[in-house]
Amino acid sequence: MITNRRIILIIFALVLLGLPIVLSSGLVSNTASAQLNSSVILHPSNDSKSISLSQGTRPASSPRPVTQLFPPPSGQPELSAAQISASTNKTCTLKPSSIKLQGTPQQTEGPYFVDGMPNRSDIRSDPSDGSVQQGIPLHLVIHVYDVDNGSCTPLKGTRVDIWHANPQGVYSAVKDQGTMGKKFLRGYQMTDNNGTVRFTTIYPGWYQGRAIHIHDKVRTFNGSEKTLEWTAQLYLNNSINQQVSMQPPYSNHGSPQTTNEQDGIYTGASTDGMIPRNSGEHLMLNLTKDKQSYFGTFNIVLNSGQSSR
């Protein structure tokens, strides 16, 4: 009896000190069991699925562990949770403006579009000699939607071309720039079931009289017949442009001489008559930085009745 009282006193003292108690019977209290239980939440996405273990009593400041069920394909960049969320966005945001009725504004094609470029996701190399354009990696995710009476749906099987200048402001396939026969920083992809294409390229360079930009063209076909064409240019943040220009190989070319607000195409009207001025404000890439590369997303909302054919 005395021995039992001593044991009880010892246990009571340990409890007061906050030390863990392990009972020889191996029983765990209901409270402890509730604290250890985890609810498994499945977060579906277009490209990958992740599982979050949500601890019932985990402090709010503690990070939630995330397990990637399907790792990215070999050679593809590993993206953060925010980037995965952005790159699998299915939401078509329609603001209460003309965009709701007419879609994303268009801009001039420019002099350097060349059709018949390779169907590829990584556009950094030149197929003619295998050379690769050097620069800060830029991973682009573009979503294409069709809008009809205020609602929108992803457009599957749509061709999306992009092309832009290298860090020295030079385009491929341009006679005046001595790059005829070259195809670097050009290519196209077909949208998947979610209306999405992905490109791996480098951060664009600048050339005289223009802000830094990326050309993009969206087309649909019925066999060989073109049924829809939409063309515009995408713009990048001025401060990021300045930061990039100070790093090689961009630093060899110097800082950009024209900001977005000084660019006549950025500040001008859209070619479809939707936007009377500053059409470039509606064509800004959503940019984030991930280590030594950039990640950009953009939603293109089309209206077949407003798109040029």
Side-chain angles (χ1 to χ4, degrees):
M1 194 73 173
I2 296 175
T3 301
N4 289 340
R5 288 180 179 175
R6 286 179 178 175
I7 292 174
I8 292 172
L9 289 174
I10 291 172
I11 293 174
F12 183 71
L14 291 174
V15 169
L16 291 177
L17 291 173
L19 298 177
I21 309 297
V22 180
L23 301 181
S24 59
S25 62
L27 299 177
V28 182
S29 70
N30 291 336
T31 302
S33 177
Q35 290 176 345
L36 293 174
N37 284 339
S38 301
S39 60
V40 180
I41 305 173
L42 185 65
H43 300 284
S45 67
N46 298 343
D47 304 309
S48 61
K49 296 180 175 63
S50 61
I51 289 180
S52 304
L53 301 180
S54 177
Q55 304 292 346
T57 59
R58 183 183 297 274
S61 60
S62 300
R64 287 180 169 181
V66 176
T67 303
Q68 187 91 357
L69 291 183
F70 301 105
S74 176
Q76 295 296 318
E78 293 188 11
L79 306 179
S80 68
Q83 291 172 341
I84 290 173
S85 176
S87 68
T88 57
N89 172 35
K90 295 182 181 179
T91 302
C92 176
T93 303
L94 297 176
K95 299 180 180 179
S97 67
S98 60
I99 293 178
K100 180 175 181 178
L101 301 176
Q102 302 183 38
T104 308
Q106 300 188 68
Q107 289 189 334
T108 180
E109 177 183 276
Y112 300 136
F113 173 66
V114 180
D115 210 350
M117 289 296 112
N119 180 350
R120 56 181 181 166
S121 179
D122 190 331
I123 64 172
R124 293 174 293 182
S125 65
D126 191 284
S128 66
D129 56 14
S131 60
V132 177
Q133 290 291 307
Q134 300 301 307
I136 297 175
L138 173 62
H139 308 290
L140 290 177
V141 174
I142 298 174
H143 308 281
V144 183
Y145 301 96
D146 180 38
V147 61
D148 183 20
N149 294 324
S151 63
C152 52
T153 56
L155 274 180
K156 176 186 176 182
T158 301
R159 175 169 172 155
V160 180
D161 281 83
I162 69 168
W163 67 101
H164 63 82
N166 70 6
Q168 308 308 311
V170 175
Y171 285 87
S172 64
V174 177
K175 181 178 180 180
D176 293 344
Q177 299 185 3
T179 57
M180 287 296 293
K182 304 295 185 181
K183 299 180 180 180
F184 60 81
L185 306 182
R186 293 180 182 269
Y188 78 92
Q189 286 278 280
M190 304 299 293
T191 57
D192 61 18
N193 290 338
N194 300 304
T196 302
V197 292
R198 293 168 177 80
F199 292 98
T200 298
T201 183
I202 59 173
Y203 204 95
W206 63 272
Y207 54 95
Q208 189 69 34
R210 288 300 318 275
I212 293 176
H213 59 280
I214 298 172
H215 296 268
D216 56 338
K217 181 185 289 290
V218 177
R219 290 176 287 177
T220 59
F221 296 87
N222 182 9
S224 59
E225 180 186 358
K226 181 174 63 178
T227 56
L228 181 147
E229 180 170 351
W230 176 96
T231 305
Q233 301 179 29
L234 303 178
Y235 298 89
L236 301 93
N237 181 277
N238 286 326
S239 61
I240 297 178
N241 290 340
Q242 287 292 337
Q243 294 172 24
V244 168
S245 71
M246 294 185 289
Q247 304 176 55
Y250 304 88
S251 53
N252 298 333
H253 192 44
S255 297
Q257 298 180 358
T258 305
T259 65
N260 292 331
E261 294 72 23
Q262 295 170 331
D263 186 287
I265 296 176
Y266 178 96
T267 59
S270 61
T271 56
D272 49 29
M274 283 177 51
I275 308 296
R277 67 183 68 86
N278 293 323
S279 58
E281 290 182 351
H282 303 277
L283 297 165
M284 292 293 297
L285 267 178
N286 179 21
L287 274 179
T288 57
K289 188 175 183 180
D290 182 20
K291 298 179 181 179
Q292 300 302 313
S293 64
Y294 285 93
F295 181 86
T297 61
F298 191 79
N299 290 348
I300 298 174
V301 182
L302 303 180
N303 184 316
S304 58
Q306 295 292 330
S307 301
S308 59
R309 296 175 182 269

